[in-house]
């Protein structure tokens, strides 16, 4: 990997931190985007040190890998990254943020989807704690991981820019939480004009190593590797509105790195071309398309979710059918960001990861849960784990 010696963007864009290099804090560092970002920060000469915060850092004992409780503290360290086991809802974040040049906030819960009060606590109240702790610690830059899911319903024929309303889709807890945090940041940025506040709004982020985690989050234990092999499906459902954007984890991580190092503010859309639709999915999975109405598909997902057969409620699928396509001009011009992977390449890589049961190096990305894999997923409640 190339080591960077000048900032991406205007000369002198990076915050001057002396010989020590920038000190960056990353919350939610064990997830899909977090692990990709840590790799880039490790290789960047302008970054001197990284504090990686997670509820389950690498090396967490298996008996603790399913929870975020217990004593917090540094658990591992390499030449640039120090790991801290901590929950953003409980930890003394001001203490951990002191001396940092930038905080990148990635920590987010998808589950338990049947208990939205739990996800709200981490995603909204935890995020608010992160923002205010960064201000109290005197951090110069805050980079927050928002999402296309924060956007209100919009067009599928062309992209919208960052001024599109961010009220989410009310039937989805995930969208409501992403939209609410956008409102929190509106007020926060006004109250802290000296802090550089950046919001990145990526499409759906995939890579091979995220396959096992995202299968657990979105599809559950009943989706087998055999089911995603080419030609296993008689047809790919072509539901009205099924047109969305995706991008590779490496490209997403690069945008976050640039947001840390470039003197930009405000929101940025992130996506790769072309948009994903039923025809592309049919090519990837070696089948044909079949046009079906949305209502029975949503009803089937809703029934499966209520029966704890799938972890994702129908509201999130409905949001995908309604969310707009995004225009990424601002990220390309102001961040100097350009995705290296096309959307179809990304989907093909992710599909290969599903077929192979691929996972990553952290507890969050592991190819199977400790103590039983898919059987443990069923035993602990589909859509109930945190």
């Amino acid at each position: 990997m190339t080591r960077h010696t000048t900032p991406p963007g205007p000369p002198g864009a990076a915050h001057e931190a002396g010989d020590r290099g920038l000190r960056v804090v990353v919350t939610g560092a064990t997830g899909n985007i977090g692990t990709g970002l840590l790799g880039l920060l490790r290789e960047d000469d302008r970054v001197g040190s990284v504090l990686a915060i997670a509820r389950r850092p690498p090396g967490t004992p298996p008996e603790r890998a399913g929870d975020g409780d217990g004593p917090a503290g540094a658990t591992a360290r390499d030449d640039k990254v120090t790991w801290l086991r901590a929950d953003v809802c409980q930890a003394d974040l001001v203490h951990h943020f002191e001396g940092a040049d930038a905080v990148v906030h990635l920590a987010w819960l998808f589950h338990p989807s049947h208990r939205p009060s739990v996800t709200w606590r981490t995603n909204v109240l935890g995020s608010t704690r992160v923002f205010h702790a960064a201000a109290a610690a005197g951090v110069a830059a805050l980079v927050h991981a928002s999402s296309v899911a924060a956007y209100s319903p919009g067009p599928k024929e062309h992209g919208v820019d960052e001024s599109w309303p961010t009220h989410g889709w009310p039937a989805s807890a995930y969208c409501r939480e992403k939209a609410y945090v956008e409102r929190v940041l509106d007020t926060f940025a006004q109250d802290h004009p000296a802090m550089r506040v950046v919001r990145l709004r990526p499409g759906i982020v995939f890579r091979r190593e995220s396959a096992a985690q995202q299968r657990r989050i979105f599809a559950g234990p009943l989706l087998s590797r055999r089911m995603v092999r080419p030609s296993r499906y008689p047809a790919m459902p072509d539901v009205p509105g099924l047109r969305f954007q995706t991008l590779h984890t490496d490209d997403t991580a690069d945008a976050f790195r640039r947001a840390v190092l470039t003197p930009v503010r405000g929101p940025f859309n992130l996506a790769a071309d072309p948009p994903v639709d039923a025809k592309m999915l049919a090519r990837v999975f070696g089948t044909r398309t079949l046009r079906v109405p949305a209502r029975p598909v949503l009803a089937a997902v809703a029934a499966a979710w209520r029966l704890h057969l799938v972890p994702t409620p129908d509201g999130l699928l409905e949001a995908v059918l309604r969310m707009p396509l995004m225009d990424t001009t601002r990220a390309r011009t102001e961040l100097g960001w350009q995705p290296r992977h096309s959307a179809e390449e990304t989907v093909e890589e992710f599909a290969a990861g599903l077929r192979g049961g691929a996972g990553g190096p952290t507890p969050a990305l592991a190819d199977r849960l400790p103590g039983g894999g898919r059987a443990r997923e069923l035993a602990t409640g589909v859509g109930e784990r945190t």
Side-chain angles (χ1 to χ4, degrees):
M1 185 177 295
T2 303
R3 298 179 70 87
H4 300 274
T5 56
T6 58
H15 174 77
E16 293 297 333
D19 293 337
R20 68 178 174 86
L22 292 174
R23 181 173 184 263
V24 181
V25 178
V26 179
T27 70
T30 56
N32 183 20
I33 299 174
T35 52
L37 178 59
L38 289 188
L40 294 183
L41 296 178
R42 277 191 179 100
E43 296 296 326
D44 199 305
D45 292 335
R46 293 160 294 177
V47 177
S49 65
V50 180
L51 178 64
I53 298 177
R55 294 183 306 126
R56 294 168 293 181
T60 302
E63 64 270 17
R64 291 185 177 178
D67 64 67
D69 302 323
T75 58
R77 184 169 187 163
D78 61 23
D79 59 336
K80 187 176 283 190
V81 176
T82 299
W83 284 95
L84 176 73
R85 184 172 189 262
D87 186 329
V88 295
C89 293
Q90 300 176 9
D92 182 0
L93 297 176
V94 176
H95 170 71
H96 297 309
F97 292 173
E98 286 176 348
D101 298 288
V103 169
V104 180
H105 180 49
L106 303 174
W108 198 269
L109 280 184
F110 284 91
H111 293 159
S113 60
H114 290 270
R115 291 181 287 157
S117 61
V118 177
T119 59
W120 182 273
R121 175 177 174 269
T122 292
N123 298 341
V124 173
L125 303 184
S127 294
T128 302
R129 289 190 83 237
V130 169
F131 304 156
H132 288 285
V139 177
L142 171 67
V143 180
H144 168 65
S146 187
S147 169
V148 63
Y151 280 123
S152 302
K156 298 286 190 177
E157 301 78 25
H158 60 85
V160 302
D161 66 17
E162 289 81 358
S163 66
W164 192 259
T166 51
H167 302 307
W169 177 244
S172 166
Y174 176 74
C175 298
R176 292 196 303 270
E177 291 162 1
K178 285 293 186 185
Y180 193 94
V181 175
E182 289 268 356
R183 301 288 76 74
V184 172
L185 276 177
D186 289 342
T187 302
F188 180 84
Q190 283 188 333
D191 292 344
H192 301 87
M195 179 182 286
R196 189 167 63 81
V197 179
V198 185
R199 323 172 195 198
L200 300 185
R201 297 171 182 159
I204 303 174
V205 180
F206 292 131
R207 63 170 164 167
R208 179 183 177 84
E209 292 82 2
S210 71
Q213 181 201 39
Q214 289 174 316
R215 193 270 306 155
R216 288 192 293 267
I217 290 174
F218 299 115
L222 300 183
L223 180 69
S224 69
R225 299 183 193 179
R226 184 176 301 175
M227 292 172 64
V228 294
R229 291 176 183 170
S231 302
R232 291 296 297 183
Y233 287 114
M236 179 63 61
D238 186 1
V239 182
L242 185 60
R243 197 162 190 255
F244 61 92
Q245 289 167 301
T246 186
L247 68 164
H248 197 281
T249 302
D250 292 347
D251 293 326
T252 313
D254 180 51
F256 275 87
R257 178 184 63 85
R258 290 170 182 266
V260 168
L261 297 167
T262 309
V264 295
R265 295 171 180 259
F268 292 86
N269 294 337
L270 303 175
D273 293 325
V276 178
D277 57 16
K279 290 182 179 179
M280 180 190 295
L281 294 173
R283 287 196 301 271
V284 171
F285 289 98
T287 187
R288 61 186 181 89
T289 62
L290 177 64
R291 191 72 169 176
V292 294
R295 182 172 295 180
V297 174
L298 292 170
V301 173
W305 179 70
R306 286 193 295 268
L307 293 170
H308 289 256
L309 299 177
V310 297
T312 303
D314 57 306
L316 185 56
L317 174 58
E318 188 175 5
V320 171
L321 300 180
R322 294 173 180 270
M323 65 179 52
L325 299 185
M326 299 180 293
D327 183 300
T328 61
T329 300
R330 186 170 190 234
R332 296 169 189 262
T333 56
E334 296 188 31
L335 280 178
W337 175 80
Q338 180 77 26
R340 294 183 297 123
H341 304 79
S342 73
E344 187 155 357
E345 290 169 344
T346 299
V347 173
E348 287 174 345
E349 179 182 320
F350 178 71
L354 284 176
R355 294 172 190 130
T362 64
L365 297 177
D367 57 356
R368 66 195 302 270
L369 294 179
R374 292 177 190 248
R376 181 159 175 76
E377 291 180 53
L378 287 166
T380 54
V382 176
E384 290 289 352
R385 291 179 58 85
T386 62

